[in-house]
Amino acid sequence: MAKATEKAAPERSRSAAETEKIRVALTERRDELQAEYDQSLTEITELQRERLADSAGDDQADTGTKTFEREQEITLANNLLERITQVERALERLGEGHYGWCERCGNAIPVERLAAFPVATLCVSCKQLEERR
């Protein structure tokens, strides 16, 4: 593993312009996700108020449906929060000089993978191994 890291070290140099371009793209994505998350929380709060005001006369099925819908909304909000965390981690890795390099084996993550999934921390091979487990 040390040899792979030593070999890859010279290739890890990225121009300041490339780094800045990546940083801007990741920051914009984080801000988009944060706005979506904030909107989601606002909607959940408003819907909760409406449900409390409009719950008179609900039977068990109505209550169950409302509970299920609320849990789904919260799950979606939590997924957004997880995606925000992933982007923030990618920004940290970029600042440390580790962005674009596999956390497990140290090899470069293909540009195509990063283009499709900018917060990737594992190369394709390591990700496949992880998914098999």
Side-chain angles (χ1 to χ4, degrees):
M1 189 185 282
K3 288 185 178 183
T5 304
E6 290 171 13
K7 288 180 183 176
E11 299 172 23
R12 288 189 184 213
S13 61
R14 178 182 287 123
S15 75
E18 290 171 325
T19 300
E20 183 61 15
K21 184 178 176 183
I22 295 167
R23 189 191 65 72
V24 167
L26 288 171
T27 301
E28 286 175 357
R29 183 64 182 142
R30 182 196 58 205
D31 294 346
E32 290 169 5
L33 289 169
Q34 186 66 53
E36 193 175 338
Y37 177 74
D38 293 343
Q39 179 64 32
S40 177
L41 289 182
T42 300
E43 290 173 3
I44 289 171
T45 302
E46 289 173 10
L47 288 171
Q48 187 62 26
R49 280 190 203 126
E50 290 173 14
R51 287 179 184 138
L52 288 174
D54 189 31
S55 63
D58 283 356
D59 61 13
Q60 287 180 339
D62 292 333
T63 302
T65 299
K66 288 178 181 180
T67 300
F68 175 75
E69 289 172 352
R70 184 180 67 244
E71 287 174 357
Q72 282 202 299
E73 292 160 359
I74 291 170
T75 298
L76 292 173
N78 285 337
N79 287 342
L80 283 169
L81 192 57
E82 175 62 28
R83 290 168 57 198
I84 291 167
T85 302
Q86 289 174 345
V87 174
E88 288 174 344
R89 184 156 180 243
L91 284 164
E92 288 173 12
R93 289 175 49 80
L94 182 66
E96 296 167 353
H98 301 297
Y99 181 80
W101 301 94
C102 181
E103 289 183 332
R104 184 168 292 149
C105 69
N107 291 331
I109 298 172
V111 175
E112 297 83 6
R113 176 162 167 72
L114 290 172
F117 189 61
V119 296
T121 59
L122 299 175
C123 67
V124 176
S125 299
C126 289
K127 184 63 177 174
Q128 288 173 339
L129 285 172
E130 181 181 270
E131 289 176 353
R132 287 184 198 144
R133 292 180 185 178

